[in-house]
Amino acid sequence: MELVTAYTPGMRRLALSFVRTPAVADDVVSEAWLAVLRGLDRFEGRSSLKTWIYRIVANIARTRAVREARSTPFSAFATPDDPSVDPDRFAHDGAWDSPLEPWRAILDSEARAVIEAAIATLPEQQRQVIELRDIEGWSSEEVRNVLELSETNQRVLLHRARSKVRAALEAYLGAER
């Protein structure tokens, strides 16, 4: 349970870098934990347990993303005048998943929102690398192992991602480059 508690949030964020919705990311994480349990006896220790688990997540998420890309979500058929609320905003019991933030917190989080939006627009590999390195705090080696990148490629992807995020933040703040 300690591993589940410690790794699940990061696994979910990694899955979200591949798939479209939080619900699908949750499915990926659940499927990954089952794969870990089924394959634990085959873990050879050539990498850390964390890297092995995250690689399972990445592989499952890649497969799921390909499958999801072939289908159109039901929400894509919504019209602009459709008053419905995204079902992902609700918990399983029908209540709000999380309460709306107070206005002050919304104002204080503007810069964070700009950064998150900039990260969301990055190409897939740049987004994955910056999320794992700068948000999750992973080492370069861990990122390279999970995403199967060369050292040079990982460094270039991270540099480009950071440059784009910085440019977006500077544009928002009105700073000159």
Side-chain angles (χ1 to χ4, degrees):
M1 284 311 298
E2 289 177 28
L3 287 177
V4 172
T5 302
Y7 292 162
T8 295
M11 291 167 64
R12 187 174 191 266
R13 284 187 291 275
L14 176 61
L16 275 169
S17 72
F18 288 95
V19 299
R20 294 182 201 169
T21 66
V24 175
D26 291 340
D27 288 346
V28 167
V29 171
S30 296
E31 193 175 328
W33 279 119
L34 289 173
V36 167
L37 290 173
R38 288 184 188 125
L40 198 53
D41 59 331
R42 292 187 307 273
F43 175 63
E44 298 174 359
R46 291 184 297 191
S47 63
S48 71
L49 180 64
K50 177 182 175 182
T51 300
W52 181 71
I53 291 170
Y54 277 76
R55 184 171 284 175
I56 291 171
V57 172
N59 290 336
I60 292 171
R62 275 188 198 102
T63 303
R64 194 67 177 269
V66 169
R67 190 177 338 144
E68 293 290 315
R70 288 189 218 137
S71 64
T72 304
F74 187 70
S75 61
F77 299 108
T79 60
D81 59 337
D82 184 2
S84 64
V85 176
D86 181 5
D88 289 336
R89 305 244 350 244
F90 295 99
H92 295 292
D93 62 359
W96 287 102
D97 186 36
S98 59
L100 298 174
E101 293 183 82
W103 287 110
R104 181 70 187 147
I106 292 171
L107 296 174
D108 290 344
S109 67
E110 284 182 2
R112 178 70 179 178
V114 169
I115 292 169
E116 289 173 355
I119 290 173
T121 64
L122 294 172
E124 181 178 324
Q125 283 191 315
Q126 288 179 18
R127 187 178 69 249
Q128 291 167 344
V129 171
I130 198 170
E131 286 177 347
L132 293 175
R133 287 294 308 276
D134 293 349
I135 296 172
E136 293 296 318
W138 286 24
S139 70
S140 175
E141 182 181 5
E142 290 173 316
V143 172
R144 290 191 324 263
N145 285 337
V146 168
L147 298 179
E148 299 174 337
L149 299 170
S150 70
E151 182 176 353
T152 303
N153 192 14
Q154 188 262 170
R155 195 170 47 244
V156 168
L157 290 168
L158 182 61
H159 173 73
R160 289 180 181 165
R162 285 176 174 167
S163 295
K164 291 174 184 174
V165 171
R166 180 182 178 130
L169 191 56
E170 287 174 344
Y172 171 74
L173 297 173
E176 299 211 10
R177 290 181 215 161

